Amino acid sequence: MSATYGTYGGRYVPETLIPALDELSSAWEAALADEAFRAELDHLSRTYAGRPTPLTLAERFAPSKRLYLKREDLLHTGAHKLNNALGQAVLAQRLGKQRIVAETGAGQHGVATATVCARFGFDCVVYMGSEDMRRQRPNVERMGLLGAEVRPVEFGTKTLKEATSEAIRDWITNVEDTHYLIGSCVGPAPYPEIVRELQAVIGRETREQILETEGRLPDSVLACVGGGSNAIGMFAGFLDDADVEIVGVEAAGAASLGSGRAGVLHGSRSSVLADEDGQIADAHSISAGLDYPGVGPEHAFLRDSGRARYVGTTDEEALEAFRRLTRTEGIIPALEPAHALARVEELDAELIVVCLSGRGDKDLAEVLAR
Amino acid sequence: MTPKQLVIYLMSGPETPALAEAAVEGGADLVELGFPFSDPLADGPVIRRAAEKALAQGMRTQACLDVLAAARERVSVPLVPMTYSSLLEAYGWERFGEDARAAGATTVIVADLPAGDRPELRRIQLVAPTSTDERIRLAAKQTDGWLYLVTVTGTTGSRSEVSSTLAGFAARARAAARDVPIYAGFGISTPEQARTVAELTDGIVVGSRAVEVAEEGPAALREYVGSLRRALDDG
């Protein structure tokens, strides 16, 4: 089985998808080896998405530290999700697919997917739990404006877990003409690897920028972890720097790494919230983007190897950090990275980078209702 | 000529041993027993809902094995648990295979464990219309008894018509699988569909529709399975 992370990863999917995953692996390897693919993606990243994103010193939020924010919230569509969506759109074009299917939790990946589908002229279907549609209304409206069909998922938890299952079922049914544009570093191989490489631009830029600004590497890098794509993209830039502490921050009620067990969900073996019989448990988080009982297999591997550590933040702590960043820096973060911001002060580290993975417009209704 | 084989899928539950007996009385040659999983990627709405209901009734792995053993007491046809990798990961891959056989299973089916992975777990392999000839050969080599043809690119559940591509796929599978029997499933619900598909294969599998009829009780299931049996025998 290709692209496993220790004992994690793999392809636990119905046979119907195996040839499509083989085709995707070949196309991905060919794309990586192709200068033209790199050049097209680089051009789109600069002229369409708005890369590179800045590194902002947050002196008033964390006066006792030197805290930098990697500003993925300033990327087009307002979150890091576009890095992956753009790359996979170019890949889908190379595969000759006309239709894109995706899942979304907070709606940021759905919006990024709807955006690239508008830009590339693909048909677009996005599955979204009805509970998430309620709490992330603005993003549902944005997807509609962009021409995507948002299909509500009304069963089970009515959140990201079920939306992902339905997107995979759609892909199984329409695999001949459809590319599944998965939103995080989860799913069957080669998806975790593809998403990681497409998000690794976050870590590469951050490393260059911090060396240029501070003349040294950070003591710690932090990122929130739901499926874990912004985190793996940030971490990728620092995994080889043994002195840089790497910290992933989960929602306390959705701590797949902190309190999960080895299990199989959505096509890969990883650390999941499940009971002793392997039935997947419900996750609970104020943040729709972190409200997921699984996590990318590479995070499970990094946890076991000790290279990264994973901690939790409660809903209340995330809300406090959300409000404080807004008032001290004039930056409204998404609730997801607010989970990472909440852990900054207790670190021993002095020079810290947090991946500010998205902006908070989508969360205003949820926060104001509290 | 060997009669066409009729496989009926039932979701595990307290009534399942009686339902399995009714299915065999109606003419089923083999009964698949669904061990429910919370996130069944290969299943359409009928079996997904049946799994949700079964889990709500406490049908966890051990309870399903107990249902299997109880069904074994009542019927002599092969019984085959069909489930997902997450249950085996939690229970122990080897232990699951051993305990299922000890409870009376002939073999097992794992819907999200493709041929080539964990070959040490003896099981019935599935092939799909998208499978390459090379993958069909691999699945036929590793399968435990017969090869399960997924007739459609899609999830389980009734379809109004038999796929127009099935004849080509069945011929391709037959050539690659050589003397391994091929049974087709997914999307078959009516006696007419059963007859049409059985002309191309050695047997058929009926799942979603059987699960629906089973909710009406053993008598309804016996009658429904009987209608499929007659279609196969008269075909």
Side-chain angles (χ1 to χ4, degrees):
Chain A
M1 220 176 242
S2 63
T4 56
Y5 303 93
T7 61
Y8 301 112
R11 287 180 173 179
Y12 295 89
V13 292
E15 166 69 21
T16 308
L17 293 182
I18 296 297
L21 291 168
D22 283 340
E23 178 191 46
L24 181 62
S25 289
S26 304
W28 171 244
E29 276 162 33
L32 280 183
D34 184 352
E35 267 313 307
F37 174 78
R38 294 265 185 195
E40 183 177 2
L41 195 52
D42 186 58
H43 180 75
L44 285 166
S45 295
R46 282 184 291 107
T47 63
Y48 185 72
R51 302 217 72 90
T53 57
L55 204 56
T56 300
L57 183 64
E59 281 179 298
R60 278 173 35 85
F61 179 83
S64 64
K65 313 279 188 192
R66 286 189 75 73
L67 168 66
Y68 284 88
L69 307 175
K70 178 59 172 169
R71 300 293 304 281
E72 295 299 292
D73 61 314
L74 294 178
L75 203 64
H76 180 40
T77 72
H80 72 289
K81 294 291 187 185
L82 190 69
N83 298 321
N84 170 51
L86 263 183
Q88 286 201 49
V90 176
L91 199 56
Q93 202 170 41
R94 293 171 70 102
L95 284 162
K97 306 283 184 181
Q98 282 303 310
R99 181 175 178 271
I100 301 285
V101 59
E103 80 295 332
T104 198
Q108 291 302 114
H109 174 58
V111 166
T113 301
T115 296
V116 299
C117 287
R119 166 67 178 70
F120 283 77
F122 296 133
D123 297 330
C124 181
V125 171
V126 178
Y127 289 88
M128 188 169 188
S130 53
E131 165 65 10
D132 289 339
M133 289 178 73
R134 181 193 65 74
R135 54 182 171 172
Q136 311 281 202
R137 194 76 222 163
N139 275 343
V140 177
E141 286 158 1
R142 290 165 81 192
M143 286 185 269
L145 277 173
L146 288 159
E149 180 193 344
V150 181
R151 293 189 185 165
V153 181
E154 305 274 7
F155 57 87
T157 58
K158 301 175 186 176
T159 60
L160 181 56
K161 174 170 84 92
E162 264 71 25
T164 304
S165 294
E166 278 301 272
I168 294 173
R169 291 187 184 107
D170 182 307
W171 194 36
I172 291 171
T173 307
N174 300 291
V175 64
E176 305 279 1
D177 70 347
T178 297
H179 174 67
Y180 175 32
L181 208 166
I182 202 166
S184 194
C185 52
V186 300
Y191 277 112
E193 180 196 336
I194 291 175
V195 176
R196 173 210 216 261
E197 289 305 314
L198 294 172
Q199 294 293 2
V201 65
I202 300 173
R204 276 198 305 274
E205 281 180 12
T206 301
R207 197 173 187 286
E208 277 177 29
Q209 288 166 324
I210 196 83
L211 284 173
E212 192 179 321
T213 312
E214 289 282 333
R216 72 177 182 97
L217 291 171
D219 301 317
S220 299
V221 297
L222 275 77
C224 62
V225 178
S229 72
N230 91 86
I232 207 69
M234 173 60 90
F235 297 172
F238 300 95
L239 284 174
D240 293 338
D241 302 309
D243 293 338
V244 178
E245 181 191 38
I246 292 177
V247 184
V249 184
E250 299 185 290
S256 315
L257 292 157
S259 50
R261 60 174 77 214
V264 178
L265 176 64
H266 295 145
S268 60
R269 183 177 188 275
S270 185
S271 187
V272 300
L273 293 180
D275 67 16
E276 60 185 13
D277 291 308
Q279 306 294 342
I280 308 303
D282 294 350
H284 296 286
S285 171
I286 188 177
S287 144
L290 303 184
D291 204 352
Y292 182 66
V295 67
E298 190 174 1
H299 285 296
F301 175 75
L302 291 173
R303 178 199 60 187
D304 288 4
S305 74
R307 181 60 190 97
R309 67 187 178 94
Y310 295 86
V311 297
T313 288
T314 64
D315 288 355
E316 290 67 31
E317 291 172 321
L319 280 164
E320 192 279 328
F322 174 100
R323 294 197 178 98
R324 199 151 56 82
L325 190 77
T326 302
R327 291 297 176 93
T328 57
E329 301 292 343
I331 297 170
I332 303 177
L335 279 172
E336 289 81 8
H339 286 71
L341 291 167
R343 298 271 73 84
V344 164
E345 273 184 25
E346 69 207 32
L347 295 177
D348 280 339
E350 199 241 329
L351 183 59
I352 299 168
V353 180
V354 168
C355 185
L356 199 73
S357 55
R359 68 178 185 224
D361 310 43
K362 70 185 176 62
D363 295 315
L364 294 187
E366 192 73 19
V367 171
L368 294 174
R370 292 266 165 165
Chain B
M1 196 178 135
T2 321
K4 300 294 183 179
Q5 298 293 294
L6 176 57
V7 179
I8 295 294
Y9 174 101
L10 298 170
M11 181 59 71
S12 292
E15 311 303 322
T16 306
L19 289 164
E21 191 170 18
V24 172
E25 284 164 5
D29 299 301
L30 186 153
V31 176
E32 286 178 15
L33 283 181
F35 282 27
F37 175 47
S38 54
D39 298 80
L41 291 183
D43 286 308
V46 170
I47 292 179
R48 175 177 55 70
R49 281 195 290 266
E52 286 168 7
K53 189 177 153 194
L55 286 171
Q57 289 176 327
M59 278 297 133
R60 302 309 167 101
T61 307
Q62 186 55 55
C64 293
L65 288 168
D66 293 345
V67 166
L68 168 65
R72 178 78 292 158
E73 303 259 305
R74 297 172 76 141
V75 300
S76 58
V77 302
L79 296 173
V80 181
M82 179 163 182
T83 191
Y84 286 85
S85 296
S86 187
L87 275 74
L88 280 75
E89 174 70 38
Y91 194 86
W93 294 85
E94 281 181 34
R95 189 177 151 231
F96 185 90
E98 289 164 8
D99 287 4
R101 280 178 175 79
T106 309
T107 182
V108 300
I109 302 175
V110 187
D112 59 348
L113 189 66
D117 292 329
R118 298 188 186 268
E120 69 282 5
L121 178 74
R122 294 284 289 160
R123 61 189 189 272
I124 290 168
Q125 302 286 353
L126 296 97
V127 294
T130 52
S131 301
T132 59
D133 290 350
E134 188 187 352
R135 285 200 59 80
I136 296 173
R137 279 194 292 276
L138 174 70
K141 189 173 148 210
Q142 295 187 343
T143 201
D144 190 16
W146 47 277
L147 196 58
Y148 191 144
L149 264 62
V150 176
T151 66
V152 292
T153 51
T155 52
T156 56
S158 302
R159 305 289 197 282
S160 56
E161 285 170 40
V162 172
S163 166
S164 59
T165 59
L166 179 61
F169 173 43
R172 204 159 60 82
R174 180 76 76 192
R178 302 195 171 212
D179 51 359
V180 176
I182 57 175
Y183 300 180
F186 284 43
I188 303 167
S189 61
T190 68
E192 189 176 52
Q193 290 171 338
R195 186 184 302 121
T196 305
V197 173
E199 280 168 15
L200 305 165
T201 62
D202 303 306
I204 64 154
V205 185
V206 177
S208 292
R209 185 66 194 140
V211 166
E212 282 179 330
V213 175
E215 284 179 14
E216 297 163 29
L221 183 66
R222 187 183 306 111
E223 187 181 327
Y224 171 64
V225 174
S227 72
L228 297 169
R229 175 83 265 163
R230 284 189 297 279
L232 296 186
D233 292 347
D234 301 345

